[in-house]
Short mmCIF file of all heavy atoms in Angstrom, two decimals:
data_model
loop_
_atom_site.label_atom_id
_atom_site.label_comp_id
_atom_site.label_asym_id
_atom_site.label_seq_id
_atom_site.Cartn_x
_atom_site.Cartn_y
_atom_site.Cartn_z
N ALA A 278 10.35 -9.51 11.77
CA ALA A 278 10.89 -9.64 10.44
C ALA A 278 11.13 -8.29 9.80
O ALA A 278 12.18 -8.10 9.14
CB ALA A 278 9.93 -10.45 9.60
N THR A 279 10.19 -7.35 9.96
CA THR A 279 10.38 -6.05 9.24
C THR A 279 11.65 -5.30 9.59
O THR A 279 12.28 -4.62 8.81
CB THR A 279 9.15 -5.15 9.46
OG1 THR A 279 8.97 -4.97 10.85
CG2 THR A 279 7.86 -5.77 8.82
N ALA A 280 12.11 -5.51 10.89
CA ALA A 280 13.30 -4.86 11.35
C ALA A 280 14.52 -5.44 10.67
O ALA A 280 15.58 -4.74 10.66
CB ALA A 280 13.39 -5.04 12.87
N ALA A 281 14.47 -6.62 10.14
CA ALA A 281 15.65 -7.21 9.47
C ALA A 281 16.12 -6.36 8.26
O ALA A 281 17.26 -6.54 7.87
CB ALA A 281 15.35 -8.59 9.11
N ALA A 282 15.25 -5.63 7.68
CA ALA A 282 15.62 -4.89 6.41
C ALA A 282 16.52 -3.69 6.74
O ALA A 282 17.14 -3.20 5.77
CB ALA A 282 14.28 -4.44 5.66
N GLY A 283 16.49 -3.27 8.02
CA GLY A 283 17.37 -2.11 8.33
C GLY A 283 16.62 -0.79 8.23
O GLY A 283 15.52 -0.70 7.68
N ASP A 284 17.34 0.27 8.67
CA ASP A 284 16.70 1.60 8.63
C ASP A 284 16.59 2.19 7.27
O ASP A 284 15.67 2.97 6.98
CB ASP A 284 17.48 2.55 9.56
CG ASP A 284 17.43 2.12 11.03
OD1 ASP A 284 16.44 1.47 11.37
OD2 ASP A 284 18.37 2.45 11.78
N ARG A 285 17.52 1.87 6.39
CA ARG A 285 17.55 2.47 5.05
C ARG A 285 17.69 1.32 4.08
O ARG A 285 18.82 1.18 3.46
CB ARG A 285 18.64 3.44 4.87
CG ARG A 285 18.46 4.69 5.81
CD ARG A 285 19.35 5.86 5.47
NE ARG A 285 19.12 7.01 6.28
CZ ARG A 285 18.14 7.85 6.27
NH1 ARG A 285 17.23 7.63 5.30
NH2 ARG A 285 18.03 8.84 7.12
N PRO A 286 16.62 0.51 3.90
CA PRO A 286 16.78 -0.70 3.09
C PRO A 286 16.83 -0.38 1.57
O PRO A 286 16.31 0.60 1.08
CB PRO A 286 15.54 -1.45 3.46
CG PRO A 286 14.51 -0.34 3.79
CD PRO A 286 15.28 0.67 4.45
N THR A 287 17.48 -1.34 0.88
CA THR A 287 17.48 -1.29 -0.58
C THR A 287 16.25 -2.06 -0.99
O THR A 287 15.59 -2.79 -0.24
CB THR A 287 18.66 -1.96 -1.19
OG1 THR A 287 18.64 -3.33 -0.78
CG2 THR A 287 19.97 -1.37 -0.62
N PRO A 288 15.79 -1.91 -2.30
CA PRO A 288 14.69 -2.73 -2.79
C PRO A 288 14.92 -4.27 -2.66
O PRO A 288 14.05 -4.98 -2.22
CB PRO A 288 14.68 -2.37 -4.23
CG PRO A 288 15.16 -0.96 -4.33
CD PRO A 288 16.24 -0.92 -3.30
N ALA A 289 16.19 -4.69 -2.87
CA ALA A 289 16.51 -6.06 -2.74
C ALA A 289 16.41 -6.53 -1.28
O ALA A 289 15.94 -7.66 -1.06
CB ALA A 289 17.93 -6.35 -3.22
N SER A 290 16.72 -5.66 -0.32
CA SER A 290 16.59 -6.03 1.09
C SER A 290 15.11 -6.18 1.52
O SER A 290 14.79 -7.17 2.23
CB SER A 290 17.23 -4.96 1.96
OG SER A 290 18.65 -4.96 1.82
N LEU A 291 14.33 -5.29 1.08
CA LEU A 291 12.89 -5.31 1.39
C LEU A 291 12.27 -6.64 0.78
O LEU A 291 11.52 -7.32 1.52
CB LEU A 291 12.19 -4.11 0.81
CG LEU A 291 12.49 -2.80 1.52
CD1 LEU A 291 11.96 -1.65 0.67
CD2 LEU A 291 11.82 -2.79 2.91
N GLU A 292 12.62 -6.95 -0.41
CA GLU A 292 12.05 -8.16 -1.01
C GLU A 292 12.65 -9.41 -0.37
O GLU A 292 11.91 -10.45 -0.12
CB GLU A 292 12.28 -8.19 -2.49
CG GLU A 292 11.69 -9.38 -3.20
CD GLU A 292 11.75 -9.37 -4.70
OE1 GLU A 292 12.39 -8.45 -5.27
OE2 GLU A 292 11.12 -10.25 -5.34
N ASP A 293 13.86 -9.45 -0.05
CA ASP A 293 14.56 -10.55 0.61
C ASP A 293 13.88 -10.86 1.90
O ASP A 293 13.50 -12.05 2.25
CB ASP A 293 15.97 -10.20 0.88
CG ASP A 293 16.94 -11.42 0.82
OD1 ASP A 293 16.52 -12.51 0.35
OD2 ASP A 293 18.09 -11.30 1.20
N VAL A 294 13.66 -9.83 2.74
CA VAL A 294 13.05 -10.04 4.06
C VAL A 294 11.60 -10.48 3.90
O VAL A 294 11.15 -11.42 4.64
CB VAL A 294 13.12 -8.75 4.86
CG1 VAL A 294 12.34 -8.85 6.14
CG2 VAL A 294 14.67 -8.44 5.27
N ALA A 295 10.90 -9.89 2.98
CA ALA A 295 9.49 -10.24 2.79
C ALA A 295 9.37 -11.75 2.33
O ALA A 295 8.45 -12.46 2.86
CB ALA A 295 8.83 -9.39 1.72
N ARG A 296 10.25 -12.20 1.49
CA ARG A 296 10.15 -13.59 1.11
C ARG A 296 10.53 -14.50 2.27
O ARG A 296 9.86 -15.60 2.43
CB ARG A 296 11.11 -13.82 -0.09
CG ARG A 296 10.60 -13.22 -1.39
CD ARG A 296 11.48 -13.39 -2.55
NE ARG A 296 10.85 -12.95 -3.81
CZ ARG A 296 10.02 -13.73 -4.54
NH1 ARG A 296 9.76 -14.98 -4.16
NH2 ARG A 296 9.39 -13.21 -5.59
N TRP A 297 11.52 -14.13 2.98
CA TRP A 297 11.83 -15.01 4.19
C TRP A 297 10.66 -15.00 5.18
O TRP A 297 10.24 -16.06 5.69
CB TRP A 297 13.08 -14.43 4.82
CG TRP A 297 13.45 -15.15 6.13
CD1 TRP A 297 14.19 -16.28 6.23
CD2 TRP A 297 13.12 -14.82 7.42
NE1 TRP A 297 14.33 -16.66 7.56
CE2 TRP A 297 13.63 -15.74 8.33
CE3 TRP A 297 12.40 -13.72 8.02
CZ2 TRP A 297 13.52 -15.72 9.72
CZ3 TRP A 297 12.30 -13.67 9.41
CH2 TRP A 297 12.82 -14.66 10.25
N SER A 298 10.13 -13.82 5.43
CA SER A 298 8.98 -13.67 6.36
C SER A 298 7.78 -14.59 5.86
O SER A 298 7.11 -15.18 6.67
CB SER A 298 8.60 -12.26 6.53
OG SER A 298 7.41 -12.17 7.38
#
Side-chain angles (χ1 to χ4, degrees):
T279 55
D284 293 334
R285 299 194 178 280
T287 65
S290 291
L291 289 166
E292 184 172 6
D293 211 11
V294 170
R296 287 179 172 275
W297 177 84
S298 174

